[in-house]
Amino acid sequence: MIILAIDFTVQYMNLLRALLFPFVPVYYVVTWLRNKCYDLGWKSSKSYDIPILCIGNLSTGGTGKTPMTEYIVRLLQSKHELAVLSRGYGRKTKGFILADEQATAETIGDEPFQFYTKFKDKVSVAVDENRQHGIETLQSIKSPEVIVLDDAFQHRKVTAGFNILLTAYGALYSNDIVLPTGNLREPRAGAKRADCIVVTKCPKTLSENDKKGIVKQLKPLAGQAVYFSSISYSDRMFSNTQSLHLEDLKDKRISLVTGIANPKPLIDYLKAKSVNFEHLNFKDHHVFTASEIETLRLKAFILTTEKDYMRLQASFKSDTSQLWYLPIAFDIDSSNKFDEQILAAVR
């Protein structure tokens, strides 16, 4: 029943997007005018006396902001007093919250909760839909040396010192149009604000000629470096107390539960590993209802992404052998050059 409902919803949304095409020019003009007001100084944007790194995209999701944020955290955490600030998409709270032991995916959002779970001993994690207020509150209570803004490319009330723009391989912003029919939050011209562009989720076999073709499509400005990154899935999955090798799943019937923008790479990886699974696909940041949780509880073995695990784990604490997640690793070509560019921006 869940699968049928999901398929119907996807088909309905695709049809709705096509019908809304006449509104694309309206959305384009409104977002273009907003950006132009900031560009001309008619709308104010605030700078700060500490390094602010912004990670974001032009599209509505699925570009890999979370693994990029974790990469930046790992690069800087031993060198600087670091804080990560997000708006906390999907949380049930408002205003500024500094993550602590009482934090959950519901109070701060699934991605910030993932950051906190991984880095709580080394990095401050906070959420605030008002980024100016969030930065200033962090400065008053934690005095960070560097702040990383997660998903803030369109939040122009803050002038970041360095902007990292992400675009997914196979869904380049250069080939897309704005909402409501396309996936872009603003016109493609917004890419000019980026200090560097990272093409994410690339195949490991991407050739140098392919990279040159992508750069040609993106048309970066002089001085805008373009990097290519890929993700690789672990061959081990984890519950909150155990780990298993994927080889151990060969004879099991698995329920793969995803609430991310693009689950295809994970699906392809599991198929390549000969894992037998049904796929329950929900929208990005999906908030699971009580009835959906009850249906999932009937599944013998649930495998999910790390981000989805953050939202689901509270509902499965009584059975640590039922819910598992598969972590990913993030690799970037020319990593030394990229790292040095980030470190230089912080200096």
Side-chain angles (χ1 to χ4, degrees):
M1 184 175 293
I2 287 181
I3 297 175
L4 290 175
I6 293 169
D7 288 342
F8 175 78
T9 301
V10 171
Q11 293 173 12
Y12 172 78
M13 291 304 297
N14 288 339
L15 175 60
L16 183 60
R17 280 188 166 216
L19 293 175
L20 290 175
F21 181 77
F23 293 94
V24 166
V26 177
Y27 187 94
Y28 182 100
V29 170
V30 169
T31 53
W32 182 86
L33 284 174
R34 174 182 180 271
N35 279 326
K36 186 58 66 174
C37 286
Y38 279 106
D39 294 340
L40 297 174
W42 298 344
K43 279 180 168 288
S44 62
S45 182
K46 190 169 183 179
S47 300
Y48 293 87
D49 57 0
I50 65 170
I52 306 288
L53 305 180
C54 170
I55 299 170
N57 53 23
L58 295 184
S59 68
T60 53
T63 57
K65 293 185 298 295
T66 300
M68 173 55 79
T69 300
E70 292 185 359
Y71 183 97
I72 297 296
V73 168
R74 290 189 176 97
L75 175 65
L76 299 177
Q77 64 181 355
S78 64
K79 302 175 179 66
H80 300 278
E81 191 70 27
L82 189 63
V84 176
L85 178 63
S86 172
R87 65 171 169 158
Y89 183 84
R91 63 184 171 127
K92 296 183 178 180
T93 57
K94 296 290 184 182
F96 179 88
I97 297 178
L98 181 66
D100 57 19
E101 293 296 334
Q102 282 69 52
T104 66
E106 289 190 346
T107 61
I108 64 173
D110 51 9
E111 290 163 349
F113 187 52
Q114 182 173 324
F115 302 147
Y116 174 73
T117 302
K118 285 187 171 182
F119 305 112
K120 59 184 175 184
D121 295 329
K122 298 181 179 180
V123 176
S124 300
V125 176
V127 294
D128 197 330
E129 57 271 23
N130 183 329
R131 303 302 172 91
Q132 285 188 7
H133 180 262
I135 290 170
E136 291 156 14
T137 305
L138 273 171
Q139 287 182 304
S140 68
I141 63 178
K142 295 301 263 186
S143 300
E145 298 172 337
V146 181
I147 295 178
V148 179
L149 297 182
D150 170 46
D151 194 13
F153 196 74
Q154 282 76 39
H155 197 93
R156 299 203 60 187
K157 290 184 178 180
V158 170
T159 300
F162 194 85
N163 285 291
I164 304 170
L165 178 65
L166 309 183
T167 186
Y169 174 85
L172 301 175
Y173 62 76
S174 55
N175 300 328
D176 205 349
I177 61 173
V178 297
L179 294 164
T181 301
N183 291 309
L184 298 187
R185 299 170 174 177
E186 60 174 297
R188 295 187 290 250
K192 68 184 180 181
R193 302 196 306 274
D195 293 285
C196 72
I197 301 168
V198 182
V199 183
T200 60
K201 302 184 178 181
C202 298
K204 299 282 187 180
T205 55
L206 193 65
S207 69
E208 290 302 317
N209 282 338
D210 290 335
K211 293 176 184 178
K212 289 177 182 178
I214 291 172
V215 171
K216 188 175 181 180
Q217 290 183 62
L218 295 178
K219 299 177 182 178
L221 300 177
Q224 273 185 329
V226 178
Y227 300 94
F228 296 85
S229 70
S230 60
I231 59 172
S232 54
Y233 290 94
S234 171
D235 58 3
R236 298 196 69 84
M237 57 195 163
F238 298 84
S239 70
N240 62 346
T241 58
Q242 308 170 59
S243 69
L244 279 177
H245 198 282
L246 279 178
E247 293 293 325
D248 299 328
L249 300 184
K250 288 290 180 68
D251 299 322
K252 291 181 179 290
R253 176 65 176 175
I254 310 302
S255 296
L256 175 65
V257 177
T258 61
I260 57 177
N262 179 20
K264 186 177 184 301
L266 175 56
I267 293 170
D268 293 343
Y269 175 74
L270 293 177
K271 287 181 177 178
K273 291 288 185 178
S274 301
V275 177
N276 182 29
F277 63 93
E278 63 170 341
H279 182 203
L280 306 180
N281 185 25
F282 298 87
K283 67 178 183 179
D284 197 17
H285 297 283
H286 179 71
V287 178
F288 293 92
T289 65
S291 61
E292 288 169 344
I293 292 295
E294 288 307 309
T295 301
L296 293 178
R297 283 182 180 276
L298 299 177
K299 306 296 182 181
F301 194 105
I302 297 173
L303 181 62
T304 190
T305 68
E306 192 169 6
K307 186 170 78 170
D308 293 312
Y309 183 83
M310 296 297 151
R311 279 175 282 126
L312 287 168
Q313 61 176 322
S315 301
F316 288 84
K317 281 184 176 179
S318 60
D319 187 354
T320 58
S321 65
Q322 188 179 10
L323 182 67
W324 302 75
Y325 71 89
L326 194 66
I328 61 173
F330 182 84
D331 302 306
I332 187 165
D333 289 356
S334 305
S335 58
N336 289 340
K337 179 182 175 184
F338 177 79
D339 293 356
E340 181 51 40
Q341 191 171 10
I342 299 301
L343 293 172
V346 170
R347 287 195 296 267

